[in-house]
Amino acid sequence: MQLEKEKKPVARKLLLKLLGSRENIKMNASAAVRVGELFGISENNIRVTLTRLQSARLITLVERGDYKLADKGIRFAKEIHQWREDENELVPWQNDWVVAQTSLLPKSDKKQLRTTERALKLVGMMKLASNMYVRPNNFSGGASEVRDKLHTLGLSGKALVFSANDFDNQTQAKAMKLWSHLDLETLYEVGCSEIEESLARIPTLPLEEATKESYVIGDRALYHLVFDPLLPSPFVDVAMRERYRNLVKKYDDMGAHIWLRFLDQN
């Protein structure tokens, strides 16, 4: 595997993810610099990033020069790790939908538009018609749960979020195809193979190589799960998604152990 071809991670994202990988992780500046070296990030970049994260109250300096997540950073980490519990919130689909109607939102506020687009993407909603986004209604809390998720992610309260269950045949058929371009089952299949191969390979690698590989492959898998729309059957093979998710959990646990070993080096 040619990990060197992977795009260099942003220092801010790298440090926050590592400090948030498990509870009470601590990292001093020297260890942070060694982390940066793995990915070709300069010492100056790492030290400046630590200062900025502390100023933003995402991390805090504790005894003996160690950094750990501050309360704001802990909230960030919990959002990242929500993927571990998402599958537990799902129920069988009853052929109904959650709809977000955004026609009341001002089009001139570009920042809010970007926030809206990201929020809709994170909860798996797709555009069905002008200013109308939908997803299958398969969360246990229904439209209310999706509404709360969207508001937490920054969707304006002016947007209407509700359930619908009586689309005409043409609209229903169109809605059923909205996620087909994502080719999710191929993503799950390829992802399972990549993780299984890495699980077999990592024990044979030197610690530095194992540390880097666990981050690169783990980060890619986590991105897929964070943005997974959590569709029900018949949109996807749910068993295949669960297999992929369980493999990622196993890989994430292994990666956290490897990173602890790396950070504990003198």
Side-chain angles (χ1 to χ4, degrees):
M1 171 172 288
Q2 300 297 317
L3 292 178
E4 63 271 18
K5 293 183 179 180
E6 292 289 335
K7 183 178 179 181
K8 183 190 300 184
V10 176
R12 181 181 187 275
K13 174 185 173 183
L14 175 63
L15 296 178
L16 283 176
K17 280 201 168 184
L18 295 181
L19 285 169
S21 60
R22 291 295 182 272
E23 290 185 5
N24 299 316
I25 295 289
K26 296 178 183 178
M27 181 192 305
N28 60 36
S30 296
V33 169
R34 287 195 295 110
V35 168
E37 288 174 351
L38 282 178
F39 298 93
I41 302 172
S42 71
E43 177 178 349
N44 181 65
N45 190 343
I46 290 293
R47 292 187 182 277
V48 168
T49 299
L50 287 171
T51 299
R52 289 176 175 172
L53 289 174
Q54 189 176 7
S55 297
R57 298 183 179 180
L58 287 164
I59 65 174
T60 185
L61 191 61
V62 293
E63 73 278 359
R64 293 181 295 181
D66 288 334
Y67 292 93
K68 71 173 186 177
L69 290 182
D71 289 344
K72 188 176 178 181
I74 291 172
R75 291 195 296 272
F76 172 83
K78 286 182 178 179
E79 290 176 8
I80 291 177
H81 287 287
Q82 179 59 35
W83 66 270
R84 282 180 166 264
E85 309 299 330
D86 282 343
E87 201 83 31
N88 299 331
E89 300 178 6
L90 304 181
V91 295
W93 188 47
Q94 303 299 322
N95 296 314
D96 56 339
W97 305 87
V98 177
V99 180
Q101 174 62 254
T102 62
S103 58
L104 297 178
L105 302 185
K107 302 297 186 290
S108 58
D109 190 340
K110 301 302 182 184
K111 182 178 180 180
Q112 181 60 53
L113 281 175
R114 289 193 297 270
T115 299
T116 296
E117 290 173 358
R118 183 175 185 275
L120 292 167
K121 181 178 180 180
L122 278 167
V123 298
M125 303 196 84
M126 288 287 184
K127 187 174 183 178
L128 178 64
S130 179
N131 298 312
M132 180 178 288
Y133 299 80
V134 300
R135 67 155 292 119
N137 188 9
N138 66 319
F139 282 105
S140 59
S144 177
E145 180 177 347
V146 175
R147 185 185 304 116
D148 289 344
K149 288 177 181 288
L150 287 168
H151 288 166
T152 298
L153 292 166
L155 181 70
S156 169
K158 294 180 180 179
L160 302 177
V161 181
F162 53 92
S163 61
N165 60 4
D166 194 21
F167 287 171
D168 61 72
N169 291 339
Q170 183 177 356
T171 303
Q172 182 82 357
K174 179 181 178 181
M176 294 290 293
K177 297 177 182 178
L178 290 176
W179 294 266
S180 59
H181 68 284
L182 298 178
D183 200 8
L184 291 169
E185 291 181 3
T186 298
L187 185 152
Y188 301 148
E189 184 177 2
V190 171
C192 285
S193 296
E194 181 177 53
I195 290 173
E196 287 173 332
E197 290 170 5
S198 185
L199 283 170
R201 180 172 53 247
I202 275 185
T204 70
L205 299 177
L207 180 58
E208 287 74 14
E209 291 182 31
T211 303
K212 183 176 180 179
E213 177 163 328
S214 70
Y215 179 87
V216 170
I217 292 180
D219 187 58
R220 180 160 54 237
L222 291 182
Y223 176 86
H224 290 154
L225 290 180
V226 167
F227 285 98
D228 190 291
L230 295 170
L231 300 175
S233 177
F235 294 88
V236 296
D237 184 335
V238 173
M240 184 181 293
R241 181 181 67 227
E242 290 177 350
R243 177 172 178 266
Y244 179 49
R245 188 172 294 265
N246 288 333
L247 272 172
V248 175
K249 288 180 181 179
K250 180 178 180 180
Y251 195 85
D252 187 53
D253 291 339
M254 179 201 66
H257 178 69
I258 290 172
W259 274 98
L260 284 174
R261 286 172 54 205
F262 179 81
L263 294 175
D264 284 343
Q265 285 187 134
N266 294 324

